[in-house]
Amino acid sequence: MPLTAILQARMSSRRLPGKMLAPVAGRPLLAWLIERLSACTTLDGIILATSDHPSDTPLAELAEKLGIRCYRGPLDDVAMRFIQAIDVFGLPSFVRICGDSPLIDPALVDYAVRLFEAGPCDITTNVHPRSFPKGQSVEVVNSAAFKAAYAAMTENEEREHVTSWFYNHTAEVAITNFTARRDMSSIRLCVDTAEDLASIRALAARMTSDQSRYSLDDLLALHAETEKPGAW
């Protein structure tokens, strides 16, 4: 069955405030991620989960403009934002995607969904342990298991990072992790810092066709080019 992706994003990033609307090749960073998720064949929709803080109103407005649903909840208790979103939209399971992943490979998301459906498991992930590049993280989560995990969260950090409780209590949950052919965990295709944003802009400048068609292998090839001495 198709699943819905919940995309978490906010404007008040500690290291790079406002990054979600930072322009990349003439389009906001968030629009790049939504375009790539829209290319997934296993998703029946995308929900932007942002906060109810006034600073995130521009994100909600962009979501409406791009034709995706939006849920606004607590700024700091991101896990509760997810709880509320899955209740409002009636999601038995969901795909969690972070807003700092503008170049997530749609095929990677589709693979994770199919692996989750082959279950049973509470969460299907490629970050425990991580072998894919940062910015290529995908998690498919059973909503009932997530609600049970939230009830057991005792630290603010667990609520901020949404799924870390699962990885800290592996004996209590069923986790399916999938890995890459080789360890690429040191490669950054995410946007956490100004340097990351410059790198993504350099990748975008080298693209010669529809960006959503670029696979992870294509992105890695472009990344290798931009890392060469003298590359822009």
Side-chain angles (χ1 to χ4, degrees), residues 122 128 165-175:
D122 296 319
H128 184 75
W165 186 92
F166 286 89
Y167 308 133
N168 293 331
H169 298 81
T170 56
E172 302 171 45
V173 292
I175 300 176

Side-chain angles (χ1 to χ4, degrees), residues 6 47 69-73 80-91 147:
I6 300 181
I47 298 168
R69 293 172 289 178
C70 179
Y71 181 80
R72 302 184 69 173
M80 175 52 70
R81 199 189 308 168
F82 273 75
I83 292 287
Q84 293 171 350
I86 61 181
D87 282 344
V88 166
F89 294 104
L91 306 180
K147 290 181 178 180

Side-chain angles (χ1 to χ4, degrees), residues 70-113:
C70 179
Y71 181 80
R72 302 184 69 173
L75 176 62
D76 296 318
D77 191 343
V78 188
M80 175 52 70
R81 199 189 308 168
F82 273 75
I83 292 287
Q84 293 171 350
I86 61 181
D87 282 344
V88 166
F89 294 104
L91 306 180
S93 301
F94 61 93
V95 180
R96 178 194 176 220
I97 302 291
C98 291
D100 63 2
S101 308
L103 298 179
I104 188 81
D105 189 345
L108 198 62
V109 176
D110 288 338
Y111 181 83
V113 170

Side-chain angles (χ1 to χ4, degrees), residues 76 153-165:
D76 296 318
M153 294 179 188
T154 58
E155 304 295 333
N156 290 336
E157 184 175 344
E158 293 175 328
R159 296 188 175 97
E160 179 182 357
H161 295 289
V162 184
T163 54
S164 62
W165 186 92

Side-chain angles (χ1 to χ4, degrees), residues 30-226:
L30 179 61
W32 281 69
L33 176 52
I34 291 172
E35 183 177 341
R36 292 184 72 83
L37 290 176
S38 297
C40 295
T41 61
T42 59
L43 298 181
D44 64 1
I46 305 167
I47 298 168
L48 171 65
T50 191
S51 88
D52 51 16
H53 190 276
S55 64
D56 288 322
T57 296
L59 296 184
E61 293 173 344
L62 180 59
E64 181 178 7
K65 180 180 178 180
L66 296 177
I68 69 167
R69 293 172 289 178
C70 179
Y71 181 80
R72 302 184 69 173
L75 176 62
D76 296 318
D77 191 343
V78 188
M80 175 52 70
R81 199 189 308 168
F82 273 75
I83 292 287
Q84 293 171 350
I86 61 181
D87 282 344
V88 166
F89 294 104
L91 306 180
S93 301
F94 61 93
V95 180
R96 178 194 176 220
I97 302 291
C98 291
D100 63 2
S101 308
L103 298 179
I104 188 81
D105 189 345
L108 198 62
V109 176
D110 288 338
Y111 181 83
V113 170
R114 295 189 182 103
L115 192 60
F116 176 83
E117 290 175 338
C121 66
D122 296 319
I123 181 171
T124 295
T125 175
N126 65 350
V127 300
H128 184 75
R130 178 184 297 279
S131 58
F132 286 89
K134 294 178 177 65
Q136 297 293 319
S137 303
V138 56
E139 296 166 309
V140 189
V141 189
N142 176 278
S143 295
F146 183 70
K147 290 181 178 180
Y150 182 83
M153 294 179 188
T154 58
E155 304 295 333
N156 290 336
E157 184 175 344
E158 293 175 328
R159 296 188 175 97
E160 179 182 357
H161 295 289
V162 184
T163 54
S164 62
W165 186 92
F166 286 89
Y167 308 133
N168 293 331
H169 298 81
T170 56
E172 302 171 45
V173 292
I175 300 176
T176 298
N177 186 76
F178 62 101
T179 58
R181 297 184 300 271
R182 59 186 177 88
D183 184 5
M184 299 180 285
S185 59
S186 64
I187 298 174
R188 297 183 65 83
L189 294 176
C190 59
V191 179
D192 282 332
T193 66
E195 291 76 14
D196 292 337
L197 180 58
S199 178
I200 294 299
R201 285 171 168 162
L203 289 180
R206 290 182 176 272
M207 292 181 177
T208 58
S209 62
D210 177 4
Q211 66 94 2
S212 66
R213 296 179 179 273
Y214 280 75
S215 68
L216 177 55
D217 286 340
D218 296 331
L219 295 173
L220 291 173
L222 289 180
H223 182 269
E225 292 178 5
T226 61

